[in-house]
DNA sequence: TATTGTTATACTCTATAACTATA
DNA sequence: TATAGTTATAGAGTATAACAATA
């Protein structure tokens, strides 16, 4: 994971990261931004993802586990801790007596909205280091590689497409 | 965090992610690759980072905590669990009777080498979705934004520069 | 006195297994 | 019987605070 000679698009004298290092570093930087913003609201990454997922859904514990990639027991505990903080609510499913529906409370919705808008500002500020033209190019290239990767994995990158 | 109209660099008909979504998604994908490769070797992300940091250093517990962003007590426990698995070794510092030097064992070095070369192959395969020319452009743009961000934070992106 | 590291304690997060209630 | 959810248990990972040993 070392350095490499300067490439076409870099200003004279600037060193280049290897493609692997560039993506790995970028991933860490973005992940750390999210982590720090979440921490300011006393949220972990997984709690933030929980609230995020609930913004446009009222899933059962089981569905939530699927969305977050967690076992049902882990999901149960996660929801329990969020409920104790007043961020989410549980209610029995009207159609299946075994199921529980999870939803955001007003407090949970406020918290996730604030955290995510701050995170968006962080990313915008980070990208503001590039001129508009390069930013557009970067976004387009990243979109292309993500679309190709999602297609390979059989995942819908743009929900709502048929 | 929605979609946006297609941009300059996208093929006709392809939808665009917003810049924020593009970076966030990219970060998740890369992070998940690292997590899964690490898990195949029964390593967590933090254990993997520990081994990675030790590849070219024999730091004290304190220095290690600084490098990993952990409290000394957390670092002590992390090293203890890695030592129990035979991946790292502790030895008293010859120059300071209070300090402990941490180093990779042969087993630890093998493990981190294998995991990181697999991770590098994952990233390469991921980037292979783009033609060489675009890959170079992407890497250069990411390097530029990381360099600018690191400079702003007062961090050395290229260790060894003076 | 200050610093280094460990330990005690507490909490989050995770999984497996056993259990209850419902289908 | 099968499924949904909770609970008991175990372990990693984290921090704060108290401690021992060394500087």
């Amino acid at each position: 994971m070392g350095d490499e000679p300067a490439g076409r698009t870099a200003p004279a004298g600037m060193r280049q990261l290897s493609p692997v290092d560039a993506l790995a570093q970028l991933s860490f930087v973005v992940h750390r931004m999210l982590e720090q913003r979440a921490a300011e609201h006393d949220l972990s990454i997984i709690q933030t993802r929980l609230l995020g997922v609930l913004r446009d859904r009222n899933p059962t514990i089981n569905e939530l586990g699927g969305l977050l990639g967690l076992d049902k027991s882990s999901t149960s505990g996660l929801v329990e801790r969020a409920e104790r903080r007043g961020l989410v609510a549980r209610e029995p499913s009207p159609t299946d007596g075994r199921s529980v529906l999870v939803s955001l409370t007003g407090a949970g919705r406020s918290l996730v909205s604030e955290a995510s808008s701050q995170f968006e500002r962080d990313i915008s500020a980070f990208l503001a280091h590039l001129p508009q033209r390069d930013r557009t190019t970067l976004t387009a290239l990243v979109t292309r590689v993500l679309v190709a990767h999602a297609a390979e994995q059989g995942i819908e990158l743009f929900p709502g497409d048929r």
Side-chain angles (χ1 to χ4, degrees), chain A residues 4 17 39 41 43 50 64-65 73 75 84 105 108 111-112 114 120 124 131 135 140-141 153 161:
Chain A
E4 280 185 7
L17 292 171
H41 301 278
L43 291 173
L50 166 66
L64 208 41
S73 66
T75 310
R84 216 189 305 146
T105 63
L111 199 62
V112 68
E114 196 183 344
E120 290 190 23
S124 296
R135 216 150 58 215
L141 290 175
Q153 308 283 305
D161 283 5

Side-chain angles (χ1 to χ4, degrees), chain A residues 126-132 134-135 138:
Chain A
F126 174 71
L127 283 173
H129 289 118
L130 291 180
Q132 172 59 46
D134 289 339
R135 216 150 58 215
L138 176 62

Side-chain angles (χ1 to χ4, degrees), chain A residues 7-128:
Chain A
R8 233 177 358 90
T9 317
M14 177 176 278
R15 298 227 249 140
Q16 273 292 82
L17 292 171
S18 71
V20 170
D21 278 358
L23 284 208
Q25 281 290 332
L26 179 64
S27 171
F28 282 133
V29 167
V30 171
H31 200 265
R32 201 173 308 126
M33 281 179 184
L34 183 54
E35 207 166 33
Q36 287 177 349
R37 278 305 179 189
E40 286 176 17
H41 301 278
D42 275 302
L43 291 173
S44 63
I45 297 258
I46 189 62
Q47 287 282 347
T48 306
R49 286 182 61 207
L50 166 66
L51 301 186
V53 155
L54 293 178
R55 288 213 276 186
D56 57 1
R57 262 167 296 221
N58 281 18
T60 66
I61 294 281
N62 227 6
E63 291 164 347
L64 208 41
L67 291 164
L68 298 175
L70 296 176
D71 185 82
K72 59 186 180 173
S73 66
S74 307
T75 310
S76 186
L78 189 69
V79 167
E80 201 277 330
R81 292 187 292 276
E83 189 183 31
R84 216 189 305 146
R85 287 181 58 184
L87 303 177
V88 309
R90 275 178 170 105
E91 59 177 340
S93 164
T95 61
D96 186 334
R98 299 167 300 180
S99 292
V100 169
L101 300 179
V102 185
S103 57
L104 277 184
T105 63
R109 190 169 296 278
S110 304
L111 199 62
V112 68
S113 293
E114 196 183 344
S116 71
S117 74
Q118 288 175 336
F119 173 65
E120 290 190 23
R121 262 176 273 144
D122 289 338
I123 298 292
S124 296
F126 174 71
L127 283 173

